[in-house]
Amino acid sequence: MIVSQTVSELGASATLQMSKKAKALEAQGHKIFDFSVGEPDLSPPQVLFDGVMEAIKEKQHLYTPVSGTLAIKKSILHYTQHHQNLSGWDVPQVCVSTGAKQVIYNALMASLEPGDEVIIPSPYWVSYPAIVKLSGARWVPVSCNEHNGFKLTPEALQAAITPNTKWLVLNSPNNPTGTVYDTDTLYRLAEVLKKFPKIFILSDDIYEALCYTHRPCPHILHVCPELQSRVLVVNGISKSLAATGWRLGWGIAPQSLLEGIEKIQSHSTSGPCCLVQHAVAQTLNTPQLEAYILENHGIFTSRRHCLVKALQRLPGMDTLVTPMGAFYVFASCRGILHHPTIRALGWRTDRELADGLLTHAHVCSVPGSEFGQEGYLRFSYAVPPKLIEEGVERLIHFLTTPSKISE
Ligand SMILES: Cc1ncc(COP(=O)(O)O)c(C=O)c1O
């Protein structure tokens, strides 16, 4: 067989599988309420399009330096200081990549060896364990409890650390839970990390602009700047600027790690698209972009409210943890699994529930098991408010009169 054992054992992305099934149903003429999406339905800011048009008019077309142009790196450092209140790095400590995912991939590939361990708080974004597996290292899930707001506790962190631990992954705001780490928890996690100077921290800040509790979003480097020599800051334009398809993200890291990241990139994709780099360099710190981020923040704040309120009306819905960031609600579905309609259908797990709700009610969500936490469904609110209301109405209708919908 041509495909390696490691790759054969990797699961396909559940989110993609659900949306593939949703698209197939749509193609058959069904109206689908798709809450599985991981990308905003909004348009990126006009200045970003203007920036690309300018680069095209200038006929820009050449390879850029592998880790990005000087102009974009300066813009990124300025943005990071202004929006995240994080500073203290220089231009050579920035690498611009084809999305935040590539930064994470490069960093883990550049640093991990068989036998190394990566602590991943669970629930988690599915690509973290997949990338660790590809590197040949071991991932160590640490379960985070809903009653603690799905936050990793210092005690659980301490218990998971071994002499082989090389990385801790922190993702705040979090996908799939929407959890935002508060400064007190970050401080206590930092106190543990200070005792283990060999552990690096991968701070995935891709949803940082969508934090509804604080501005800027609390960061481990706010509470413990001395960790800076061991932190990789990951960010990008996919979520904050609704530009998922433009494929641009960045990492800011200590020099030695950055050089490793750059090496991997030089032998895989080289620098990201020169047109997009130009547009981002020109616009990242403009008032128009600042206004855009604020506007989207307002839009998602109100959609979050709308989805939480709507889901609370579902028969059998357990208490919902209101997400503090990103654009997901991670809702316990244990009560729904006990609902008479669902019991009669024989659906016993979150996977069966998500699949059944898609097939029969045409409502698409992602089962929590895919993110390492059974008994939950993830609903995205990166969708129009009308779809939120109608989709939840559809679920309520299904639970109360299932036969009518599945006809
Ligand atoms: C937590 C998290 N990190 C990183 C990414 C990847 O972002 P990008 O599109 O910039 O590669 C995603 C995308 O869904 C994500 O949810």
Side-chain angles (χ1 to χ4, degrees):
M1 184 175 64
I2 187 70
V3 175
S4 72
Q5 173 101 10
T6 314
V7 172
S8 308
E9 284 166 11
L10 279 187
S13 156
T15 320
L16 292 183
Q17 273 170 3
M18 289 300 281
S19 58
K20 205 167 144 191
K21 190 162 177 185
K23 296 248 160 13
L25 284 165
E26 216 158 38
Q28 290 166 21
H30 297 292
K31 175 165 178 159
I32 302 297
F33 299 90
D34 191 356
F35 292 95
S36 72
V37 290
E39 56 186 343
D41 57 320
L42 309 164
S43 171
Q46 184 56 40
V47 279
L48 215 50
F49 288 106
D50 296 343
V52 167
M53 293 310 287
E54 187 180 286
I56 291 172
K57 274 194 205 128
E58 287 172 8
K59 297 211 155 107
Q60 291 192 23
H61 64 287
L62 294 172
Y63 287 134
T64 69
V66 167
S67 57
T69 64
L70 179 63
I72 192 171
K73 289 185 189 179
K74 283 186 175 167
S75 291
I76 287 167
L77 288 175
H78 190 277
Y79 173 94
T80 307
Q81 175 154 24
H82 187 68
H83 281 261
Q84 294 193 263
N85 193 21
L86 298 173
S87 56
W89 298 276
D90 286 324
V91 161
Q93 291 169 286
V94 182
C95 182
V96 193
S97 300
T98 307
K101 190 184 272 184
Q102 193 191 8
V103 178
I104 297 169
Y105 183 88
N106 289 350
L108 295 178
M109 287 296 165
S111 56
L112 290 172
E113 281 169 303
D116 289 339
E117 291 174 4
V118 179
I119 297 177
I120 303 180
S122 158
Y124 45 75
W125 178 52
V126 290
S127 290
Y128 304 134
I131 297 171
V132 176
K133 281 185 212 161
L134 281 175
S135 77
R138 204 167 83 80
W139 68 289
V140 179
V142 178
S143 182
C144 299
N145 198 309
E146 174 169 0
H147 303 297
N148 189 37
F150 294 112
K151 276 176 252 173
L152 175 68
T153 63
E155 297 75 25
L157 170 62
Q158 171 95 42
I161 291 174
T162 75
N164 297 326
T165 308
K166 207 148 191 185
W167 284 96
L168 162 68
V169 175
L170 279 182
N171 172 218
S172 169
N174 180 274
N175 175 10
T177 60
T179 295
V180 169
Y181 278 74
D182 57 280
T183 46
D184 181 53
T185 305
L186 288 170
Y187 178 82
R188 290 185 304 122
L189 291 173
E191 286 299 295
V192 175
L193 291 163
K194 280 201 297 195
K195 292 190 275 180
F196 299 93
K198 286 196 180 143
I199 300 178
F200 269 65
I201 300 108
L202 191 167
S203 183
D204 183 348
D205 305 342
I206 193 77
Y207 294 97
E208 139 279 322
L210 295 170
C211 172
Y212 311 112
T213 48
H214 307 78
R215 275 183 79 81
C217 186
H219 199 280
I220 194 149
L221 288 177
H222 294 157
V223 297
C224 190
E226 69 181 88
L227 288 179
Q228 185 143 353
S229 60
R230 327 196 240 140
V231 171
L232 164 65
V233 168
V234 178
N235 205 343
I237 63 167
S238 290
K239 317 293 174 171
S240 55
L241 303 186
T244 45
W246 290 45
R247 307 311 300 134
L248 192 121
W250 57 83
I252 312 176
Q255 193 66 36
S256 57
L257 174 62
L258 204 285
E259 283 166 13
I261 290 176
E262 195 175 341
K263 254 190 214 169
I264 306 253
Q265 187 153 302
S266 76
H267 293 299
S268 51
T269 57
S270 299
C273 169
C274 66
L275 310 175
V276 177
Q277 283 194 63
H278 177 85
V280 173
Q282 298 284 307
T283 60
L284 200 53
N285 298 297
T286 54
Q288 291 96 318
L289 198 125
E290 173 116 34
Y292 173 90
I293 289 178
L294 261 181
E295 191 187 339
N296 278 7
H297 190 274
I299 291 173
F300 283 116
T301 305
S302 92
R303 288 182 182 185
R304 169 180 74 133
H305 179 69
C306 176
L307 180 58
V308 169
K309 232 175 85 192
L311 287 174
Q312 271 162 348
R313 291 176 40 233
L314 272 184
M317 175 54 77
D318 298 330
T319 338
L320 272 181
V321 175
T322 300
M324 305 295 191
F327 39 65
Y328 309 103
V329 175
F330 200 62
S332 165
C333 62
R334 294 197 185 97
I336 299 177
L337 286 169
H338 282 109
H339 189 275
T341 301
I342 303 300
R343 284 167 71 134
L345 287 161
W347 303 343
R348 289 184 308 271
T349 64
D350 56 356
R351 279 201 176 97
E352 288 173 0
L353 181 66
D355 192 59
L357 291 179
L358 175 56
T359 311
H360 298 281
H362 302 152
V363 174
C364 187
S365 57
V366 187
S369 299
E370 302 300 334
F371 308 101
Q373 198 96 337
E374 224 221 294
Y376 290 83
L377 295 178
R378 190 195 74 173
F379 292 87
S380 163
Y381 50 92
V383 296
K386 195 163 174 296
L387 187 144
I388 295 177
E389 275 156 29
E390 288 179 8
V392 176
E393 220 36 72
R394 167 64 71 112
L395 280 180
I396 293 171
H397 186 56
F398 178 74
L399 287 169
T400 44
T401 49
S403 57
K404 287 195 182 138
I405 288 178
S406 50
E407 271 162 13

